[in-house]
Amino acid sequence: MSMRQNDSPSTRPASSPEMRERGAERALGLLLLVDLVNEIAPGDPVTAPERWRDVLLRHGADAADLARQPPPHATAVLAAVARLRALFAVREMAELAAHVNPVLAAEGARPRLAEVRPGAWAVRAETDEDGDPALRVLVVGAFALAAWAAERGRIAWGICAAAGCNRTFIDEGRRAPQRFCRPACATRSRVRAHRARLGG
């Protein structure tokens, strides 16, 4: 995948146009997971289900299908988001396996080849339709992250290293691992480090 000329792997914005174009080809759309974790505040059961629905719609979910489904329970949404954020904090493949495998086993996830859009196919995790919607997204999301890590051969995501920022990101770089969620955080961190050196 090409990057814009001025983007480096450590400062590239997580929601690049190239990635948004390819996101639907992955098991769930990794940017969907990023937005769920970044936009649903921990400990806020009042707005969690509504924000959950808004993110799904923004990432291409069918409004009629969502209307026919029972809304996810707020506690289930917050629990799913917390577990997804825990996956974004993982730094080693063995640790990822220890997190993901129990989730997939407990919920009986079944891999299947699915056409995610005309002409684009991906391996997805299928779960029981009767389960809580938030739990289904957790299972499919865990599968998507595991597949992405296996494809890249490393943990290719993270939580922003900038002070005061805890946003998650997906790393699509092919060189140095990405450390920041967006260029603004990388610039702010460089300025902070430079001032610290001058002050020292």
Side-chain angles (χ1 to χ4, degrees), residues 162-185:
C165 182
N166 65 351
R167 293 177 62 83
T168 61
F169 59 84
I170 298 294
D171 181 1
E172 284 208 316
R174 294 291 176 180
R175 293 173 288 179
Q178 183 175 334
R179 298 181 56 235
F180 303 100
C181 66
R182 50 191 171 184
C185 281

Side-chain angles (χ1 to χ4, degrees), residues 96-162:
L96 176 65
H99 278 75
V100 167
N101 290 340
V103 172
L104 300 180
E107 303 308 326
R110 302 174 297 277
R112 67 182 179 91
L113 186 64
E115 189 174 23
V116 293
R117 62 181 175 83
W121 293 80
V123 177
R124 302 185 62 170
E126 186 178 66
T127 60
D128 293 333
E129 292 298 323
D130 294 336
D132 187 272
L135 183 58
R136 292 204 302 271
V137 171
L138 168 64
V139 171
V140 178
F143 185 92
L145 287 171
W148 180 234
E151 177 183 335
R152 300 302 303 277
R154 63 180 177 87
I155 302 299
W157 59 75
I159 298 175
C160 187

Side-chain angles (χ1 to χ4, degrees), residues 42 55 61 65 90 131 156 184:
V55 172
D65 285 345
V90 166

Side-chain angles (χ1 to χ4, degrees):
M1 175 181 297
S2 62
M3 292 187 297
R4 294 194 299 274
Q5 184 176 359
N6 293 328
D7 283 345
S8 69
S10 63
T11 61
R12 183 181 56 262
S15 300
S16 64
E18 299 97 326
M19 189 173 178
R20 288 198 179 278
E21 181 179 348
R22 291 184 57 198
E25 299 177 14
R26 300 204 174 92
L28 176 64
L30 294 173
L31 285 180
L32 168 61
L33 305 181
V34 168
D35 284 351
L36 284 173
V37 174
N38 288 342
E39 296 186 23
I40 297 179
D44 183 8
V46 176
T47 64
E50 181 180 353
R51 287 183 180 273
W52 179 277
R53 183 177 183 276
D54 289 345
V55 172
L56 292 181
L57 288 173
R58 193 164 68 245
H59 283 267
D62 185 87
D65 285 345
L66 287 181
R68 286 192 293 269
Q69 298 174 8
H73 295 291
T75 53
V77 168
L78 294 176
V81 169
R83 296 180 75 176
L84 286 172
R85 176 168 284 278
L87 292 179
F88 276 95
V90 166
R91 303 312 310 150
E92 302 292 338
M93 294 290 281
E95 183 185 2
L96 176 65
H99 278 75
V100 167
N101 290 340
V103 172
L104 300 180
E107 303 308 326
R110 302 174 297 277
R112 67 182 179 91
L113 186 64
E115 189 174 23
V116 293
R117 62 181 175 83
W121 293 80
V123 177
R124 302 185 62 170
E126 186 178 66
T127 60
D128 293 333
E129 292 298 323
D130 294 336
D132 187 272
L135 183 58
R136 292 204 302 271
V137 171
L138 168 64
V139 171
V140 178
F143 185 92
L145 287 171
W148 180 234
E151 177 183 335
R152 300 302 303 277
R154 63 180 177 87
I155 302 299
W157 59 75
I159 298 175
C160 187
C165 182
N166 65 351
R167 293 177 62 83
T168 61
F169 59 84
I170 298 294
D171 181 1
E172 284 208 316
R174 294 291 176 180
R175 293 173 288 179
Q178 183 175 334
R179 298 181 56 235
F180 303 100
C181 66
R182 50 191 171 184
C185 281
T187 299
R188 189 170 66 251
S189 294
R190 285 197 298 268
V191 171
R192 182 190 295 265
H194 178 68
R195 289 175 176 170
R197 287 194 298 271
L198 292 178

